[in-house]
Amino acid sequence: MVSCKIVIPTELLMSFRPTHQHEGLFFWWEFDGVPYPFEDHADAPGVVFGWWTSQLMQLSYGARATPLVFFEGAPALVLTQEDNRIFASGEGFGPVEVEWESLASALQQAIITVAPAFEQMDRAWAKRFREDADRLDEIKGYRKNTRKKQNPI
């Protein structure tokens, strides 16, 4: 099983001042040090982090597979669930087994990291980020403590 995170270069984040939700920032997934889709990938966190939260929710509901689609057209990261195990794969990558909590925590941390920049743009947008982070917290605990396929929310 591999660990994963979403890499957001700190030096770029410091100057990130979005004026709209489609504003681009460099970030990418990293699985045991292997970047996906590639290092220095630029995308719109204000859009895709919400999409990805919804897709992780679908897995918590019992979906067998779901794509984490990028806004800028990079190949999707596909998550597949088999016998309560999660596999990540994409174009030229994987499949690798990842921990549910690692996936949800990586996305949650990325949301928490960019939320203050969006707070400056629009408080309502930043509130949505905080709500997504809370939703991820709920499904992390749910998946960790039970093997049921129902949604607790």
Side-chain angles (χ1 to χ4, degrees):
M1 202 169 307
V2 302
S3 64
C4 68
K5 63 183 177 180
I6 296 176
V7 177
I8 302 172
T10 306
E11 64 278 3
L12 299 175
L13 183 62
M14 300 298 279
S15 62
F16 183 56
R17 302 287 178 263
T19 57
H20 52 82
Q21 71 226 39
H22 298 94
E23 194 84 27
L25 178 66
F26 288 99
F27 66 91
W28 57 93
W29 284 92
E30 196 170 272
F31 298 87
D32 277 354
V34 177
Y36 190 83
F38 52 86
E39 199 168 306
D40 294 332
H41 172 75
D43 218 307
V47 176
V48 300
F49 289 173
W51 291 349
W52 294 353
T53 298
S54 295
Q55 295 311 106
L56 286 181
M57 293 296 292
Q58 291 302 312
L59 281 180
S60 80
Y61 297 155
R64 305 222 359 112
T66 190
L68 301 184
V69 178
F70 291 89
F71 187 74
E72 295 299 331
L77 179 67
V78 178
L79 302 177
T80 307
Q81 184 169 207
E82 297 173 19
D83 299 324
N84 253 359
R85 297 167 58 205
I86 307 284
F87 296 91
S89 62
E91 189 173 299
F93 173 77
V96 295
E97 185 177 358
V98 295
E99 289 183 350
W100 172 258
E101 188 160 356
S102 181
L103 276 171
S105 292
L107 180 53
Q108 183 181 47
Q109 186 57 50
I111 289 169
I112 290 167
T113 299
V114 300
F118 283 94
E119 180 88 30
Q120 301 303 312
M121 179 196 81
D122 181 343
R123 286 182 147 333
W125 200 256
K127 181 180 182 221
R128 193 206 89 204
F129 270 156
R130 288 189 298 275
E131 290 169 350
D132 281 349
D134 289 345
R135 289 170 64 200
L136 287 166
D137 233 2
E138 290 177 32
I139 62 174
K140 277 187 336 190
Y142 168 74
R143 293 291 300 212
K144 185 175 181 179
N145 297 322
T146 183
R147 293 191 177 269
K148 293 180 184 176
K149 294 284 186 177
Q150 305 95 308
N151 177 20
I153 301 169

